[in-house]
Amino acid sequence: MSAIIKVEHLTRVFDVSKPLLNRVIERLPRALLTAVSDVSFEIEENSVYALVGESGSGKSTIGKIMVGLVAPTEGSVQISGVDLASETDAAKIEAVRSEIQMIFQDPFASLNPRWRVRDVIAEPVAAKGGDTTGLAEKLLEQVGLSAADAGKYPHEFSGGQRQRICIARALASNPRIIVCDEPTSALDVSVQAQVLNLMSDLREELGLTYLFISHDLTVVQHMADRIGVLYLGRLVEEAPRDVLFNDPKHPYTQMLFAAAPKMDGFGREIEAPKGEIPDAINPPTGCAFHPRCPLAVERCSRERPEMRNIGKTRVACHMAE
């Protein structure tokens, strides 16, 4: 399979400084928050690539950069060979933008409460002057709702039904790639299963490629073909799903798996994860995980580990063996 998405040395820095006058009066330096730091990976066509990590690890920022909502500070995201941030040909940019859609975490916040569902779903096609006759009704039935629902408003649906409407809207422009930003985290467990199964079926039926962002390892194990683990904006480990779950190399990945709920784990005693994720404005030197790492040595605090291959796994850790 060929890579449909190539992310190379992606970095995003946000300026979170106080206003200039406040900084002058209080003699404060500029505050720069590094949300994503030198991340590289590839996503093959018709596959599911999952990004996992704690809150604040940069997962959603990467998703927003991919769909063009946020510009990268450094590095590139190439979709079908086109870099949206540096490409100057408007026709190429338009073609790539129509290939990629996003499903947001909160289905109610991402739907216009004043529009009927018919208009919400048809908007991506209507914005380009396309024919929207019967489009919403067809897509609603495709995602397991009724064509009659097209005349209703978003507040008339449950959370799971709203997320199905969001999926229908994402499918309206016939995309090849869908960025899913924690699409089931706001839903009940039973509804989560329905939505995930729907997404799996649509992937097989329509040949879709997913970037799946989640902090729920059970969901990732069900959905993903390949997984990247993020910590403080850095990619620390990447491997095929079964390889990662059977033999995690990075101490942070091992900590995530140890803390995850297990069906057969009743009564088990595990040590709680130590410490909090560090401040992204003032990150630790060397390996970002070294203040919390049980394997850390002096080298970890001064030298940032490079991604290297160990078997089928790419890992950024001096002590991975």
mmCIF file of all heavy atoms in Angstrom, residues 153-188:
data_model
loop_
_atom_site.group_PDB
_atom_site.id
_atom_site.type_symbol
_atom_site.label_atom_id
_atom_site.label_comp_id
_atom_site.label_asym_id
_atom_site.label_seq_id
_atom_site.Cartn_x
_atom_site.Cartn_y
_atom_site.Cartn_z
ATOM 1 N N TYR A 153 -34.387 19.316 13.744
ATOM 2 C CA TYR A 153 -33.260 20.123 14.209
ATOM 3 C C TYR A 153 -32.354 19.267 15.101
ATOM 4 O O TYR A 153 -32.819 18.283 15.697
ATOM 5 C CB TYR A 153 -33.765 21.335 14.985
ATOM 6 C CG TYR A 153 -34.451 22.375 14.130
ATOM 7 C CD1 TYR A 153 -35.844 22.364 13.952
ATOM 8 C CD2 TYR A 153 -33.704 23.361 13.483
ATOM 9 C CE1 TYR A 153 -36.473 23.303 13.151
ATOM 10 C CE2 TYR A 153 -34.323 24.315 12.684
ATOM 11 C CZ TYR A 153 -35.704 24.294 12.511
ATOM 12 O OH TYR A 153 -36.309 25.228 11.715
ATOM 13 N N PRO A 154 -31.062 19.644 15.245
ATOM 14 C CA PRO A 154 -30.119 18.831 16.037
ATOM 15 C C PRO A 154 -30.574 18.538 17.467
ATOM 16 O O PRO A 154 -30.287 17.463 18.001
ATOM 17 C CB PRO A 154 -28.837 19.663 16.019
ATOM 18 C CG PRO A 154 -28.894 20.423 14.728
ATOM 19 C CD PRO A 154 -30.356 20.739 14.537
ATOM 20 N N HIS A 155 -31.289 19.488 18.111
ATOM 21 C CA HIS A 155 -31.661 19.269 19.519
ATOM 22 C C HIS A 155 -32.698 18.165 19.688
ATOM 23 O O HIS A 155 -32.963 17.722 20.803
ATOM 24 C CB HIS A 155 -32.180 20.576 20.141
ATOM 25 C CG HIS A 155 -33.538 20.982 19.666
ATOM 26 N ND1 HIS A 155 -33.728 21.864 18.624
ATOM 27 C CD2 HIS A 155 -34.777 20.628 20.079
ATOM 28 C CE1 HIS A 155 -35.024 22.038 18.428
ATOM 29 N NE2 HIS A 155 -35.679 21.292 19.294
ATOM 30 N N GLU A 156 -33.283 17.701 18.599
ATOM 31 C CA GLU A 156 -34.303 16.649 18.667
ATOM 32 C C GLU A 156 -33.699 15.246 18.687
ATOM 33 O O GLU A 156 -34.433 14.256 18.706
ATOM 34 C CB GLU A 156 -35.270 16.782 17.490
ATOM 35 C CG GLU A 156 -36.044 18.106 17.479
ATOM 36 C CD GLU A 156 -36.995 18.216 16.297
ATOM 37 O OE1 GLU A 156 -37.945 17.413 16.232
ATOM 38 O OE2 GLU A 156 -36.778 19.086 15.439
ATOM 39 N N PHE A 157 -32.369 15.147 18.696
ATOM 40 C CA PHE A 157 -31.705 13.840 18.632
ATOM 41 C C PHE A 157 -30.897 13.573 19.897
ATOM 42 O O PHE A 157 -30.511 14.491 20.608
ATOM 43 C CB PHE A 157 -30.758 13.796 17.417
ATOM 44 C CG PHE A 157 -31.463 13.927 16.093
ATOM 45 C CD1 PHE A 157 -31.673 15.176 15.522
ATOM 46 C CD2 PHE A 157 -31.913 12.805 15.418
ATOM 47 C CE1 PHE A 157 -32.319 15.302 14.303
ATOM 48 C CE2 PHE A 157 -32.552 12.920 14.201
ATOM 49 C CZ PHE A 157 -32.760 14.170 13.648
ATOM 50 N N SER A 158 -30.605 12.290 20.121
ATOM 51 C CA SER A 158 -29.719 11.903 21.227
ATOM 52 C C SER A 158 -28.268 12.119 20.797
ATOM 53 O O SER A 158 -27.970 12.392 19.629
ATOM 54 C CB SER A 158 -29.936 10.431 21.578
ATOM 55 O OG SER A 158 -29.460 9.612 20.519
ATOM 56 N N GLY A 159 -27.329 11.952 21.763
ATOM 57 C CA GLY A 159 -25.914 12.155 21.460
ATOM 58 C C GLY A 159 -25.403 11.231 20.359
ATOM 59 O O GLY A 159 -24.687 11.657 19.454
ATOM 60 N N GLY A 160 -25.786 9.950 20.449
ATOM 61 C CA GLY A 160 -25.340 8.994 19.441
ATOM 62 C C GLY A 160 -25.898 9.309 18.063
ATOM 63 O O GLY A 160 -25.215 9.167 17.042
ATOM 64 N N GLN A 161 -27.171 9.741 18.028
ATOM 65 C CA GLN A 161 -27.783 10.107 16.739
ATOM 66 C C GLN A 161 -27.126 11.352 16.150
ATOM 67 O O GLN A 161 -26.910 11.439 14.938
ATOM 68 C CB GLN A 161 -29.285 10.348 16.939
ATOM 69 C CG GLN A 161 -30.057 9.075 17.216
ATOM 70 C CD GLN A 161 -31.500 9.361 17.605
ATOM 71 O OE1 GLN A 161 -31.802 10.350 18.269
ATOM 72 N NE2 GLN A 161 -32.414 8.490 17.191
ATOM 73 N N ARG A 162 -26.767 12.307 17.022
ATOM 74 C CA ARG A 162 -26.073 13.512 16.524
ATOM 75 C C ARG A 162 -24.729 13.155 15.919
ATOM 76 O O ARG A 162 -24.321 13.727 14.907
ATOM 77 C CB ARG A 162 -25.871 14.516 17.671
ATOM 78 C CG ARG A 162 -27.123 15.249 18.079
ATOM 79 C CD ARG A 162 -26.803 16.249 19.193
ATOM 80 N NE ARG A 162 -28.004 16.580 19.940
ATOM 81 C CZ ARG A 162 -28.084 16.669 21.250
ATOM 82 N NH1 ARG A 162 -27.011 16.455 21.995
ATOM 83 N NH2 ARG A 162 -29.222 16.988 21.841
ATOM 84 N N GLN A 163 -24.023 12.203 16.562
ATOM 85 C CA GLN A 163 -22.721 11.818 16.006
ATOM 86 C C GLN A 163 -22.896 11.129 14.656
ATOM 87 O O GLN A 163 -22.063 11.298 13.762
ATOM 88 C CB GLN A 163 -21.983 10.905 16.994
ATOM 89 C CG GLN A 163 -20.486 10.795 16.747
ATOM 90 C CD GLN A 163 -19.764 12.125 16.853
ATOM 91 O OE1 GLN A 163 -19.903 12.994 15.996
ATOM 92 N NE2 GLN A 163 -18.963 12.279 17.884
ATOM 93 N N ARG A 164 -23.997 10.400 14.483
ATOM 94 C CA ARG A 164 -24.288 9.805 13.167
ATOM 95 C C ARG A 164 -24.544 10.898 12.124
ATOM 96 O O ARG A 164 -24.147 10.767 10.970
ATOM 97 C CB ARG A 164 -25.506 8.874 13.272
ATOM 98 C CG ARG A 164 -25.221 7.571 13.998
ATOM 99 C CD ARG A 164 -26.498 6.790 14.267
ATOM 100 N NE ARG A 164 -26.233 5.602 15.058
ATOM 101 C CZ ARG A 164 -26.059 4.375 14.549
ATOM 102 N NH1 ARG A 164 -26.120 4.191 13.245
ATOM 103 N NH2 ARG A 164 -25.815 3.350 15.344
ATOM 104 N N ILE A 165 -25.198 11.978 12.552
ATOM 105 C CA ILE A 165 -25.425 13.113 11.635
ATOM 106 C C ILE A 165 -24.080 13.738 11.240
ATOM 107 O O ILE A 165 -23.863 14.086 10.074
ATOM 108 C CB ILE A 165 -26.351 14.161 12.302
ATOM 109 C CG1 ILE A 165 -27.757 13.591 12.492
ATOM 110 C CG2 ILE A 165 -26.405 15.445 11.468
ATOM 111 C CD1 ILE A 165 -28.651 14.418 13.401
ATOM 112 N N CYS A 166 -23.174 13.858 12.216
ATOM 113 C CA CYS A 166 -21.838 14.394 11.919
ATOM 114 C C CYS A 166 -21.098 13.502 10.930
ATOM 115 O O CYS A 166 -20.382 13.991 10.048
ATOM 116 C CB CYS A 166 -21.024 14.540 13.195
ATOM 117 S SG CYS A 166 -21.635 15.824 14.301
ATOM 118 N N ILE A 167 -21.252 12.185 11.083
ATOM 119 C CA ILE A 167 -20.616 11.250 10.145
ATOM 120 C C ILE A 167 -21.230 11.411 8.758
ATOM 121 O O ILE A 167 -20.510 11.427 7.749
ATOM 122 C CB ILE A 167 -20.754 9.798 10.651
ATOM 123 C CG1 ILE A 167 -19.945 9.609 11.943
ATOM 124 C CG2 ILE A 167 -20.295 8.802 9.595
ATOM 125 C CD1 ILE A 167 -20.202 8.287 12.661
ATOM 126 N N ALA A 168 -22.566 11.563 8.705
ATOM 127 C CA ALA A 168 -23.233 11.767 7.410
ATOM 128 C C ALA A 168 -22.739 13.043 6.739
ATOM 129 O O ALA A 168 -22.494 13.067 5.524
ATOM 130 C CB ALA A 168 -24.748 11.827 7.617
ATOM 131 N N ARG A 169 -22.562 14.117 7.523
ATOM 132 C CA ARG A 169 -22.050 15.372 6.959
ATOM 133 C C ARG A 169 -20.632 15.185 6.424
ATOM 134 O O ARG A 169 -20.278 15.699 5.356
ATOM 135 C CB ARG A 169 -22.056 16.478 8.019
ATOM 136 C CG ARG A 169 -21.482 17.802 7.512
ATOM 137 C CD ARG A 169 -21.526 18.882 8.563
ATOM 138 N NE ARG A 169 -20.787 18.520 9.771
ATOM 139 C CZ ARG A 169 -20.750 19.267 10.861
ATOM 140 N NH1 ARG A 169 -21.405 20.412 10.909
ATOM 141 N NH2 ARG A 169 -20.060 18.876 11.922
ATOM 142 N N ALA A 170 -19.813 14.422 7.172
ATOM 143 C CA ALA A 170 -18.439 14.177 6.725
ATOM 144 C C ALA A 170 -18.403 13.390 5.418
ATOM 145 O O ALA A 170 -17.506 13.566 4.597
ATOM 146 C CB ALA A 170 -17.668 13.435 7.814
ATOM 147 N N LEU A 171 -19.399 12.520 5.204
ATOM 148 C CA LEU A 171 -19.426 11.688 3.994
ATOM 149 C C LEU A 171 -19.993 12.423 2.780
ATOM 150 O O LEU A 171 -19.843 11.948 1.654
ATOM 151 C CB LEU A 171 -20.281 10.431 4.241
ATOM 152 C CG LEU A 171 -19.764 9.439 5.282
ATOM 153 C CD1 LEU A 171 -20.800 8.347 5.512
ATOM 154 C CD2 LEU A 171 -18.442 8.833 4.843
ATOM 155 N N ALA A 172 -20.611 13.588 2.998
ATOM 156 C CA ALA A 172 -21.357 14.272 1.927
ATOM 157 C C ALA A 172 -20.500 14.606 0.714
ATOM 158 O O ALA A 172 -20.958 14.518 -0.426
ATOM 159 C CB ALA A 172 -22.018 15.542 2.472
ATOM 160 N N SER A 173 -19.233 14.979 0.932
ATOM 161 C CA SER A 173 -18.379 15.406 -0.187
ATOM 162 C C SER A 173 -17.519 14.262 -0.737
ATOM 163 O O SER A 173 -16.537 14.501 -1.435
ATOM 164 C CB SER A 173 -17.482 16.568 0.249
ATOM 165 O OG SER A 173 -16.662 16.172 1.339
ATOM 166 N N ASN A 174 -17.907 13.010 -0.427
ATOM 167 C CA ASN A 174 -17.169 11.822 -0.881
ATOM 168 C C ASN A 174 -15.678 11.901 -0.541
ATOM 169 O O ASN A 174 -14.821 11.834 -1.430
ATOM 170 C CB ASN A 174 -17.332 11.620 -2.394
ATOM 171 C CG ASN A 174 -18.727 11.182 -2.767
ATOM 172 O OD1 ASN A 174 -19.337 10.392 -2.053
ATOM 173 N ND2 ASN A 174 -19.239 11.715 -3.854
ATOM 174 N N PRO A 175 -15.319 12.058 0.738
ATOM 175 C CA PRO A 175 -13.901 12.191 1.095
ATOM 176 C C PRO A 175 -13.183 10.852 1.015
ATOM 177 O O PRO A 175 -13.808 9.785 1.028
ATOM 178 C CB PRO A 175 -13.966 12.688 2.541
ATOM 179 C CG PRO A 175 -15.210 12.058 3.076
ATOM 180 C CD PRO A 175 -16.187 12.034 1.930
ATOM 181 N N ARG A 176 -11.861 10.916 0.941
ATOM 182 C CA ARG A 176 -11.036 9.705 1.029
ATOM 183 C C ARG A 176 -10.468 9.555 2.437
ATOM 184 O O ARG A 176 -10.104 8.457 2.844
ATOM 185 C CB ARG A 176 -9.881 9.775 0.025
ATOM 186 C CG ARG A 176 -10.332 9.788 -1.420
ATOM 187 C CD ARG A 176 -9.161 10.117 -2.346
ATOM 188 N NE ARG A 176 -8.147 9.076 -2.344
ATOM 189 C CZ ARG A 176 -6.910 9.243 -2.811
ATOM 190 N NH1 ARG A 176 -6.533 10.413 -3.280
ATOM 191 N NH2 ARG A 176 -6.048 8.244 -2.792
ATOM 192 N N ILE A 177 -10.370 10.681 3.170
ATOM 193 C CA ILE A 177 -9.746 10.693 4.491
ATOM 194 C C ILE A 177 -10.693 11.363 5.482
ATOM 195 O O ILE A 177 -11.264 12.412 5.169
ATOM 196 C CB ILE A 177 -8.423 11.493 4.454
ATOM 197 C CG1 ILE A 177 -7.473 10.935 3.393
ATOM 198 C CG2 ILE A 177 -7.763 11.527 5.825
ATOM 199 C CD1 ILE A 177 -6.443 11.934 2.938
ATOM 200 N N ILE A 178 -10.852 10.772 6.670
ATOM 201 C CA ILE A 178 -11.644 11.404 7.725
ATOM 202 C C ILE A 178 -10.804 11.446 9.000
ATOM 203 O O ILE A 178 -10.270 10.426 9.445
ATOM 204 C CB ILE A 178 -12.963 10.657 7.985
ATOM 205 C CG1 ILE A 178 -13.857 10.691 6.736
ATOM 206 C CG2 ILE A 178 -13.714 11.288 9.158
ATOM 207 C CD1 ILE A 178 -15.199 10.022 6.901
ATOM 208 N N VAL A 179 -10.660 12.648 9.554
ATOM 209 C CA VAL A 179 -9.982 12.827 10.840
ATOM 210 C C VAL A 179 -11.042 12.745 11.930
ATOM 211 O O VAL A 179 -11.988 13.535 11.953
ATOM 212 C CB VAL A 179 -9.250 14.193 10.892
ATOM 213 C CG1 VAL A 179 -8.649 14.419 12.277
ATOM 214 C CG2 VAL A 179 -8.166 14.256 9.819
ATOM 215 N N CYS A 180 -10.901 11.772 12.825
ATOM 216 C CA CYS A 180 -11.886 11.528 13.880
ATOM 217 C C CYS A 180 -11.281 11.967 15.213
ATOM 218 O O CYS A 180 -10.406 11.281 15.753
ATOM 219 C CB CYS A 180 -12.253 10.051 13.941
ATOM 220 S SG CYS A 180 -12.648 9.325 12.343
ATOM 221 N N ASP A 181 -11.725 13.097 15.737
ATOM 222 C CA ASP A 181 -11.169 13.641 16.978
ATOM 223 C C ASP A 181 -12.008 13.184 18.167
ATOM 224 O O ASP A 181 -12.999 13.806 18.522
ATOM 225 C CB ASP A 181 -11.121 15.171 16.897
ATOM 226 C CG ASP A 181 -10.399 15.798 18.087
ATOM 227 O OD1 ASP A 181 -9.880 15.033 18.931
ATOM 228 O OD2 ASP A 181 -10.351 17.034 18.192
ATOM 229 N N GLU A 182 -11.611 12.068 18.775
ATOM 230 C CA GLU A 182 -12.334 11.475 19.901
ATOM 231 C C GLU A 182 -13.838 11.419 19.620
ATOM 232 O O GLU A 182 -14.644 11.971 20.382
ATOM 233 C CB GLU A 182 -12.041 12.246 21.186
ATOM 234 C CG GLU A 182 -10.552 12.387 21.460
ATOM 235 C CD GLU A 182 -10.197 12.402 22.928
ATOM 236 O OE1 GLU A 182 -11.025 11.994 23.739
ATOM 237 O OE2 GLU A 182 -9.075 12.816 23.248
ATOM 238 N N PRO A 183 -14.255 10.737 18.538
ATOM 239 C CA PRO A 183 -15.662 10.803 18.111
ATOM 240 C C PRO A 183 -16.641 10.105 19.031
ATOM 241 O O PRO A 183 -17.843 10.321 18.917
ATOM 242 C CB PRO A 183 -15.636 10.124 16.732
ATOM 243 C CG PRO A 183 -14.474 9.184 16.812
ATOM 244 C CD PRO A 183 -13.451 9.875 17.661
ATOM 245 N N THR A 184 -16.156 9.260 19.957
ATOM 246 C CA THR A 184 -17.095 8.516 20.814
ATOM 247 C C THR A 184 -16.932 8.841 22.295
ATOM 248 O O THR A 184 -17.616 8.262 23.131
ATOM 249 C CB THR A 184 -16.899 6.994 20.630
ATOM 250 O OG1 THR A 184 -15.545 6.651 20.960
ATOM 251 C CG2 THR A 184 -17.181 6.579 19.190
ATOM 252 N N SER A 185 -16.035 9.782 22.654
ATOM 253 C CA SER A 185 -15.752 10.011 24.077
ATOM 254 C C SER A 185 -16.933 10.630 24.814
ATOM 255 O O SER A 185 -17.029 10.514 26.036
ATOM 256 C CB SER A 185 -14.516 10.895 24.239
ATOM 257 O OG SER A 185 -14.737 12.165 23.684
ATOM 258 N N ALA A 186 -17.857 11.298 24.100
ATOM 259 C CA ALA A 186 -19.002 11.936 24.754
ATOM 260 C C ALA A 186 -20.233 11.031 24.772
ATOM 261 O O ALA A 186 -21.309 11.473 25.164
ATOM 262 C CB ALA A 186 -19.332 13.255 24.038
ATOM 263 N N LEU A 187 -20.072 9.762 24.357
ATOM 264 C CA LEU A 187 -21.222 8.867 24.201
ATOM 265 C C LEU A 187 -21.221 7.752 25.236
ATOM 266 O O LEU A 187 -20.177 7.384 25.780
ATOM 267 C CB LEU A 187 -21.206 8.243 22.794
ATOM 268 C CG LEU A 187 -21.097 9.212 21.608
ATOM 269 C CD1 LEU A 187 -21.017 8.441 20.313
ATOM 270 C CD2 LEU A 187 -22.271 10.178 21.584
ATOM 271 N N ASP A 188 -22.422 7.190 25.488
ATOM 272 C CA ASP A 188 -22.532 6.014 26.354
ATOM 273 C C ASP A 188 -21.816 4.827 25.707
ATOM 274 O O ASP A 188 -21.652 4.771 24.489
ATOM 275 C CB ASP A 188 -24.010 5.634 26.556
ATOM 276 C CG ASP A 188 -24.772 6.706 27.325
ATOM 277 O OD1 ASP A 188 -24.114 7.439 28.082
ATOM 278 O OD2 ASP A 188 -25.994 6.803 27.156
#
